Amino acid sequence: MIHLKKSDPKIYKIIKAEEKRQKEGIELIASENYVSPAVLETMGSVLTNKYSEGYPGKRYYGGNEIIDQAESLAITRAKKLFGAEHVNVQPLSGSPANLAVYMALLQPGDKVLGFSLDQGGHLSHGHPMNFSGKLYTIIPYFVDKKTEIIDMDEVEKIALKEKPKMILAGFSAYSKNMDWKRFKKIADKINALTFADIAHIAGLIAAKLIDSPIPYFDVVTTTTHKTLRGPRGGMIMCKEKFASAIDKAIFPGIQGGPHDHINAAKAVAFGEALKPSFKTYSAQVMKNAKALAGALQKRNYRIISGGTDNHLMLVDVFGSRGVTGKEAEKALEHVGISINKNMIPFDSRKPLDPSGIRLGTPAVTTRGAKEKHMETIADLIDKTLENKDNETKLKKIAKEVKTFSLQFPVPGIK
Ligand code: DSN
């Protein structure tokens, strides 16, 4: 970064400080990951200079014959990776992708069945303060109080009673597998459209380690970062019959020029995900998540729904230790462990200071951590929460976190 260092030392310093934070800390935010140096290089390339409203071969600006090749490669690789009939790689991120799906398939006011945010859903699945909750009539479904797993019989009951126009399946804080086939069966009974948001688990699906909704669902959205380990961005996959409506909803519906440098970086990441090493990586992400959940359970932490079948878990820190999610996040941040506070199902506390924390293993696995390291991480988490008000002990733990982290290189950081 010789140019940046000279021309904007302030931003240069900020980037260097963030590199240091990423290197010396333990990243357990379930939606974060480290992209490869190749993805980083592509995002920092001259492709950022181009405007290319439209789609490959049908642009509203000249000079796009090279950009067309990059976007087409991203599409072809995504189709191969996920077995999708049609792919749009232009969504700027997950929420715009979801907005486009609502716009393409529904009219304002239409009924949508969505997983409640406070139980593991996502803002764009119908939260009252989000466009989805403001523009559409959202009927929420929940997990079973005892098992903390989505009760599909209950989903069916609600669907048959409410007859939504669309059923949305997906989550940002749920550690069990979705029963895509059952969702589709229910939707077929009431002639509803099916929409899956696989933002969190796209990498695990691409690696064929968990079931995919793509064969069954009308439309599937994802982000391209998280477990998929690509650049920040979104993507929509759909059956051919929805292709034109989806494409029009993205452009000119809600977006202008696509971010060509990001779309090319998506192509690079999809290319990486098509390699056998990505399957090995994703399998390790899941093994590490199971090991971390087990190590925490051994220390008497309650894991929501009793464990994890993917890359993430919710821990009831308030119920297990009397430490709130906010207190846990702060104490862990203090020692260099990044996590986020999270509501747990039927939480008696509020979103800004809930009972739970959410942990995920995609980032630490990218750095090379294995099951045995999850024991150390669980131990560091436990010690931190036990000593959350003891500054001397926290300082000591912070040193241990740094020593632990520095054994693992971060891609793209020297
Ligand atoms: N912000 C993402 C997450 O952390 O799950 C979802 O959009």
Side-chain angles (χ1 to χ4, degrees):
M1 290 187 174
I2 46 171
H3 303 285
L4 182 66
K5 190 175 179 183
K6 231 166 140 180
S7 73
D8 196 332
K10 281 191 180 152
I11 287 290
Y12 175 78
K13 229 173 116 188
I14 288 169
I15 294 174
K16 288 289 145 189
E18 176 61 12
E19 282 184 357
K20 185 170 179 303
R21 189 196 70 81
Q22 291 190 12
K23 229 165 59 174
E24 295 180 356
I26 301 176
E27 186 52 73
L28 294 174
I29 291 179
S31 47
E32 293 188 16
N33 211 333
Y34 306 99
V35 296
S36 70
V39 168
L40 270 182
E41 280 174 8
T42 313
M43 284 193 280
S45 72
V46 294
L47 300 189
T48 194
N49 297 337
K50 194 67 197 100
Y51 248 122
S52 41
E53 265 100 329
Y55 290 101
K58 286 174 285 180
R59 305 283 190 184
Y60 290 82
Y61 287 74
N64 272 305
E65 61 283 1
I66 296 163
I67 291 298
D68 279 1
Q69 294 172 34
E71 187 168 334
S72 299
L73 254 184
I75 293 169
T76 313
R77 288 180 183 170
K79 282 184 177 172
K80 195 167 170 202
L81 197 54
F82 290 98
E85 287 179 18
H86 178 77
V87 173
N88 186 313
V89 293
Q90 293 191 5
L92 301 179
S93 202
S95 279
N98 289 352
L99 171 59
V101 175
Y102 284 89
M103 282 208 22
L105 305 182
L106 304 175
Q107 294 302 320
D110 278 348
K111 265 190 197 173
V112 178
L113 200 67
F115 190 20
S116 183
L117 173 70
D118 58 0
Q119 304 230 325
H122 186 254
L123 276 173
S124 61
H125 299 178
H127 190 274
M129 285 169 77
N130 184 264
F131 76 84
S132 52
K134 283 182 193 288
L135 293 179
Y136 303 94
T137 309
I138 305 292
I139 315 291
Y141 57 89
F142 306 94
V143 296
D144 174 80
K145 216 164 183 167
K146 210 161 150 219
T147 61
E148 296 171 319
I149 297 173
I150 294 171
D151 178 349
M152 292 307 292
D153 292 336
E154 194 57 30
V155 172
E156 174 156 359
K157 233 198 259 162
I158 304 173
L160 294 183
K161 179 168 170 257
E162 297 285 349
K163 299 202 172 38
K165 181 146 183 221
M166 184 165 83
I167 296 184
L168 203 177
F171 58 82
S172 61
Y174 184 64
S175 57
K176 292 283 157 182
N177 286 321
M178 287 254 156
D179 190 348
W180 308 116
K181 274 191 209 159
R182 180 84 191 271
F183 272 110
K184 171 69 177 149
K185 238 169 132 182
I186 295 170
D188 283 348
K189 285 192 179 174
I190 51 168
N191 244 331
L193 294 158
T194 43
F195 168 20
D197 178 345
I198 58 166
H200 261 271
I201 45 173
L204 310 181
I205 289 175
K208 303 197 171 29
L209 295 168
I210 61 176
D211 222 19
S212 168
I214 290 156
Y216 323 110
F217 273 50
D218 295 317
V219 185
V220 177
T221 60
T222 185
T223 45
T224 48
H225 36 289
K226 301 191 177 91
T227 50
L228 197 48
R229 213 165 55 175
R232 274 297 153 87
M235 173 161 81
I236 307 178
M237 297 170 274
C238 65
K239 300 281 184 229
E240 198 55 52
K241 68 174 178 176
F242 300 106
S244 163
I246 289 290
D247 286 353
K248 282 189 192 130
I250 284 290
F251 174 81
I254 62 164
Q255 290 186 182
H259 290 181
D260 297 312
H261 55 313
I262 300 296
N263 293 344
K266 288 175 190 172
V268 175
F270 300 157
E272 291 172 354
L274 281 163
K275 292 187 180 142
S277 55
F278 189 77
K279 190 169 181 142
T280 314
Y281 157 71
S282 302
Q284 191 63 51
V285 167
M286 291 172 70
K287 283 189 223 163
N288 284 351
K290 274 203 182 357
L292 183 57
L296 289 166
Q297 281 167 327
K298 225 167 62 187
R299 289 164 178 79
N300 292 321
Y301 285 91
R302 191 174 82 80
I303 306 292
I304 301 307
S305 77
T308 175
D309 293 335
N310 55 30
H311 62 299
L312 69 81
M313 70 212 68
L314 284 176
V315 190
D316 177 6
V317 282
F318 190 66
S320 308
R321 286 291 192 281
V323 179
T324 72
K326 185 178 167 186
E327 287 168 343
E329 184 186 288
K330 192 167 161 245
L332 289 165
E333 185 178 66
H334 198 56
V335 300
I337 300 177
S338 299
I339 57 103
N340 66 276
K341 56 184 165 293
N342 216 99
M343 295 285 273
I344 61 171
F346 308 101
D347 207 328
S348 55
R349 304 185 58 83
K350 298 269 173 284
L352 276 174
D353 195 6
S355 297
I357 57 173
R358 185 184 66 161
L359 310 176
T361 53
V364 286
T365 308
T366 293
R367 288 181 77 168
K370 300 272 186 322
E371 289 98 314
K372 63 175 184 207
H373 303 116
M374 300 303 119
E375 274 292 332
T376 314
I377 291 178
D379 199 46
L380 289 166
I381 292 174
D382 187 33
K383 278 200 291 201
T384 304
L385 299 190
E386 287 291 316
N387 296 290
K388 71 175 176 54
D389 299 315
N390 185 333
E391 191 52 35
T392 318
K393 289 229 167 98
L394 291 182
K395 269 201 180 121
K396 199 169 155 270
I397 300 168
K399 273 195 193 141
E400 288 178 52
V401 167
K402 188 172 162 184
T403 310
F404 173 81
S405 299
L406 288 176
Q407 335 164 48
F408 303 103
V410 180
I413 304 180
K414 278 201 201 92

